[in-house]
Amino acid sequence: MQREPLAPLDEAEAFAAMLQHGATVEDVAAQTGVSTRTVRRRVALAGLCEEVKAATRSGTILLAVAEALTLGSAEEQRDILQMVDEGADLDGYDVRRLLTDEKPVVAIAIFPIERYTGTLTGDLFAEAETTYFDDIEQFVRLQQEAVEELAEQHRKSADWVEVLSSYSVAWWQYRKAADGEPGGVVVNL
């Protein structure tokens, strides 16, 4: 006899239970015959709030939307579920954008990540796994401190250092210094 595969949420809860009883992700993968990446993705689903799990099981939202909702807190999940209940036509991409557009990606940090004490959110369902800083204010403060440290290093050897904080810099006003002419550094945060 063949067994029908478990629904993704049932699989998620089974994997999470195995992990809670001392198994590692690698153990679960070996015992179930799925990749460690799939185990991590399923376990992320186990962390959804109960309302989202119920909506996924009933078919109110698609699995892709549930997967994207793993990026949000329980409150954010409920807010987006309410939007869907009120008629919003959101797919997984839309939900992911709603939950991450304002959050900076860890890859752009110029400060040592160890300085960050807030929480991080990993998007296990993206094309390339991406991690975001949840505390935007702390990220900005640490990034500004790192820029100032960088500027201070350049001040030791450059004739001038300009730190800008803008989306667009008029690069036409800067040029490479000619021989013997004082040169400087532009740092754009």
Side-chain angles (χ1 to χ4, degrees):
M1 294 177 63
Q2 286 189 334
R3 183 172 179 226
E4 190 173 315
L6 288 174
L9 282 175
D10 295 334
E11 195 174 49
E13 290 169 352
F15 290 173
M18 292 171 76
L19 293 172
Q20 287 174 345
H21 288 91
T24 65
V25 170
E26 291 75 18
D27 294 337
V28 174
Q31 289 178 17
T32 59
V34 299
S35 69
T36 56
R37 181 167 189 215
T38 299
V39 172
R40 285 186 182 94
R41 290 173 64 146
R42 290 294 188 254
V43 170
L45 290 172
L48 291 168
C49 71
E50 292 306 318
E51 297 89 340
V52 170
K53 287 180 184 179
T56 305
R57 284 191 170 102
S58 70
T60 304
I61 62 171
L62 299 173
L63 181 60
V65 172
E67 290 173 342
L69 284 169
T70 63
L71 293 168
S73 66
E75 182 181 335
E76 290 170 322
Q77 293 172 25
R78 287 183 193 100
D79 289 345
I80 291 175
L81 186 57
Q82 183 177 351
M83 291 169 63
V84 170
D85 289 344
E86 292 171 355
D89 184 25
L90 302 173
D91 61 15
Y93 175 78
D94 296 328
V95 171
R96 184 174 283 107
R97 194 171 36 79
L98 284 170
L99 293 171
T100 62
D101 265 3
E102 299 297 317
K103 293 181 180 180
V105 179
V106 168
I108 66 169
I110 62 171
F111 56 86
I113 302 301
E114 304 80 48
R115 290 185 186 174
Y116 178 76
T117 59
T119 57
L120 300 170
T121 297
D123 186 353
L124 301 175
F125 300 94
E127 292 287 323
E129 291 179 22
T130 308
T131 304
Y132 299 91
F133 291 102
D134 292 326
D135 186 338
I136 298 169
E137 289 178 18
Q138 184 181 172
F139 164 80
V140 169
R141 181 179 49 77
L142 290 169
Q143 198 80 330
Q144 288 171 335
E145 288 172 4
V147 164
E148 190 50 45
E149 289 170 13
L150 179 64
E152 202 52 45
Q153 289 174 6
H154 284 296
R155 286 184 183 107
K156 294 175 185 171
S157 59
D159 289 311
W160 55 270
V161 174
E162 193 169 342
V163 177
L164 305 174
S165 217
S166 61
Y167 289 104
S168 176
V169 176
W171 293 108
W172 56 265
Q173 70 186 30
Y174 300 101
R175 62 177 173 73
K176 186 174 178 155
D179 287 340
E181 184 181 18
V185 176
V186 176
V187 179
N188 187 28
L189 170 62

